[in-house]
Amino acid sequence: MAGLRYLSGFGNEFSSEDPRCPGSLPEGQNSPQVCPYGLYAEQLSGSAFTCPRPANKRSWLYRILPSVKHKPFTAVPCGDLTETWNEVEPDPNQLRWLPFTIPKSTEKKVDFVAGLHTICGAGDAKTRNGIGIHVYTCNTSMVDRCFNNSDGDFLIVPQQGEILVTTEFGKMMVEPNEICVIQQGMRFSVDVFGETRGYILEVYGAHFELPDLGPIGANGLANPRDFLCPVAWYEDRKVPSGYTIINKYQGKLFACQQDFSPFNVVAWHGNYTPYKYNLKNFMVINCVAFDHADPSIFTVLTAKSTKPGVAIADFVIFPPRWGVADHTFRPPYYHRNCMSEFMGLIKGHYEAKEEGFLPGGGSLHSMMTPHGPDADCFEKCSTAELKPERVAEGTMAFMFESSFSMAVTKWGLQTCQRLDKSYYQCWEPLRSHFNPNWRPSKQ
């Protein structure tokens, strides 16, 4: 959307005023007796008051009416959005989904909230420890409706179609190959411009942060300056017919009515904001000598658990890069993992499985489930000439990796009817190359 402005940085202490109301931020204090322009002061806390400063998240919003002015919440149908992890029996198999179906607008109007479907997850929002992986498939904009997640943070990965996200902090246009994060408690609405699809990583009990760089040094991977948060924008709009606030609370959906737009924040300041990031800005680090580095070097954002070095969830990408490793099998290695790995494809062809893993689809390799390159990839790359080459050109695959053993929902296994039951066959042609007479060559 032409003309949208952003503030640059990750976790900064930002401040922003809608230029239509200069001086709307109070000077020298957060909650004056009378705010400029007759606004209400409201704090949005994303952490406990007593968290250490590096982890303390809050913002002050100066709004035309406070968010407390609404009718009571009542339960509404959740559709395919769920936190029920025992609907069906566990399935430890390698799972792959064909591109998830987008409803046709000529058949049924579906907005972002109505188009949410949970694929898998684990944990519990009530105990503030868990994860949910969803897709959204929609074809129409939210009208006089907004969404609020009281359970956790949404990391949204558009795959088809850009989305215009209106938040209490301002507007963000998010296109495929970009991501955005809407943190716990932030109200937002989504406009779409046609048939639209994407992925969502939800975490309970932690916020996303940049991974520690260790010996990489001070720079690299996703640099803080490339993250963008919106600038203040407000609408003073009455909605006599009723504006609907949809609240995800303890895994269920509730709705309430009010007679005004919630996007009435004239100014704000703080370090608890929504933000977006363009994946093309990721500074890729890769092996330049031999062997295949672990995919953790491609981590964009992490939501840490209480155990050092172990994440509730990591958001990892596999961007275009150079492959130069000598005497090395360059694609990902065969693997069994104490983590769960959900993969999606935004565009292009994933190097380890060029057939069957398609944009808009996904795969899940659960805890300790074997996975790795298909037979064609192994045979081709075991004999390829090892010259410098571009890897994943025109491609962007990603991974939601979690320390949780995730359960797949009934929608994911059955209702969506997109599960590729032939997935296991991509490894069936693997054959033994064992030669007991092999001896090291003499130098």
Side-chain angles (χ1 to χ4, degrees):
M1 185 177 184
L4 287 185
R5 294 173 48 244
Y6 300 95
L7 302 170
S8 168
F10 188 88
N12 295 20
E13 286 286 342
F14 295 111
S15 63
S16 184
E17 297 177 342
D18 189 304
R20 291 172 288 177
C21 295
S24 46
L25 277 173
E27 292 187 9
Q29 65 179 119
N30 295 319
S31 188
Q33 185 177 22
V34 178
C35 291
Y37 293 91
L39 299 170
Y40 287 84
E42 179 177 295
Q43 184 175 198
L44 177 63
S45 294
S47 65
F49 292 139
T50 52
C51 274
R53 277 185 181 258
N56 207 299
K57 305 294 181 185
R58 58 85 186 94
S59 285
W60 282 89
L61 313 178
Y62 300 92
R63 54 196 320 151
I64 296 168
L65 283 170
S67 57
V68 72
K69 181 179 167 61
H70 63 81
K71 297 294 192 289
F73 282 102
T74 57
V76 295
C78 296
D80 297 314
L81 187 68
T82 185
E83 197 194 284
T84 303
W85 309 128
N86 57 359
E87 294 176 305
V88 290
E89 291 297 310
D91 189 339
N93 288 301
Q94 302 95 350
L95 301 177
R96 182 169 71 187
W97 288 269
L98 300 171
F100 295 101
T101 304
I102 307 173
K104 298 290 185 184
S105 59
T106 54
E107 298 173 3
K108 185 180 181 181
K109 299 287 188 183
V110 178
D111 69 12
F112 176 84
V113 174
L116 290 172
H117 311 276
T118 305
I119 303 172
C120 56
D124 177 39
K126 291 188 287 292
T127 57
R128 310 290 297 118
N129 191 32
I131 179 178
I133 293 176
H134 320 280
V135 293
Y136 64 90
T137 54
C138 54
N139 56 38
T140 193
S141 299
M142 296 173 67
V143 178
D144 291 340
R145 279 161 50 98
C146 75
F147 189 75
N148 169 83
N149 188 353
S150 296
D151 291 340
D153 293 12
F154 269 4
L155 187 156
I156 302 174
V157 184
Q159 185 273 320
Q160 178 177 318
E162 67 268 35
I163 57 175
L164 175 61
V165 184
T166 301
T167 77
E168 295 170 280
F169 295 79
K171 294 174 178 279
M172 300 184 293
M173 181 66 81
V174 190
E175 301 177 358
N177 218 49
E178 295 184 315
I179 63 166
C180 71
V181 172
I182 310 294
Q183 304 194 75
Q184 182 188 12
M186 298 175 179
R187 294 178 174 179
F188 69 99
S189 182
V190 175
D191 285 0
V192 301
F193 307 91
E195 295 179 358
T196 304
R197 177 173 55 206
Y199 310 85
I200 298 174
L201 172 59
E202 180 184 17
V203 294
Y204 322 135
H207 298 301
F208 290 102
E209 55 188 278
L210 295 173
D212 296 324
L213 294 181
I216 292 174
N219 307 287
L221 308 187
N223 288 308
R225 66 177 294 194
D226 293 323
F227 288 82
L228 303 174
C229 79
V231 297
W233 176 88
Y234 77 91
E235 59 178 8
D236 184 11
R237 183 166 66 92
K238 294 291 185 182
V239 188
S241 58
Y243 195 105
T244 303
I245 310 292
I246 303 166
N247 183 12
K248 182 176 181 290
Y249 175 75
Q250 295 187 3
K252 304 292 185 181
L253 293 185
F254 299 83
C256 73
Q257 298 290 311
Q258 59 188 48
D259 62 0
F260 61 95
S261 168
F263 305 121
N264 62 357
V265 177
V266 176
W268 60 266
H269 75 86
N271 64 353
Y272 190 55
T273 72
Y275 54 88
K276 74 171 203 167
Y277 175 74
N278 194 321
L279 301 180
K280 74 178 183 181
N281 292 325
F282 188 81
M283 196 278 264
V284 183
I285 290 176
N286 203 7
C287 171
V288 295
F290 60 89
D291 274 352
H292 186 97
D294 293 331
S296 49
I297 62 168
F298 301 131
T299 301
V300 180
L301 291 168
T302 183
K304 295 178 179 178
S305 74
T306 55
K307 186 181 295 185
V310 179
I312 294 173
D314 287 328
F315 174 61
V316 179
I317 62 173
F318 302 96
R321 59 200 182 275
W322 281 99
V324 298
D326 290 326
H327 46 84
T328 292
F329 182 73
R330 289 179 177 175
Y333 42 72
Y334 293 98
H335 195 203
R336 289 181 295 161
N337 193 357
C338 64
M339 308 283 275
S340 301
E341 304 177 12
F342 177 90
M343 286 194 63
L345 186 61
I346 299 171
K347 60 181 180 178
H349 302 275
Y350 181 56
E351 59 181 306
K353 296 181 185 69
E354 293 195 2
E355 301 296 330
F357 184 53
L358 302 173
S363 69
L364 176 66
H365 300 142
S366 296
M367 196 167 285
M368 290 303 171
T369 296
H371 53 280
D374 62 23
D376 288 343
C377 177
F378 180 83
E379 295 297 334
K380 182 175 71 173
C381 294
S382 295
T383 57
E385 180 184 357
L386 294 180
K387 57 185 179 181
E389 61 179 345
R390 290 291 291 170
V391 178
E393 196 68 32
T395 290
M396 185 62 75
F398 69 87
M399 179 167 65
F400 299 151
E401 185 175 60
S402 175
S403 59
F404 283 85
S405 184
M406 292 190 286
V408 184
T409 62
K410 183 178 180 180
W411 185 87
L413 285 176
Q414 300 171 12
T415 310
C416 73
Q417 299 184 338
R418 304 306 290 163
L419 193 65
D420 181 359
K421 295 183 179 179
S422 67
Y423 183 28
Y424 74 95
Q425 294 176 3
C426 74
W427 294 289
E428 290 290 288
L430 287 168
R431 58 189 177 87
S432 172
H433 294 271
F434 177 64
N435 178 5
N437 298 316
W438 178 87
R439 297 292 183 271
S441 59
K442 295 181 180 180
Q443 299 297 323

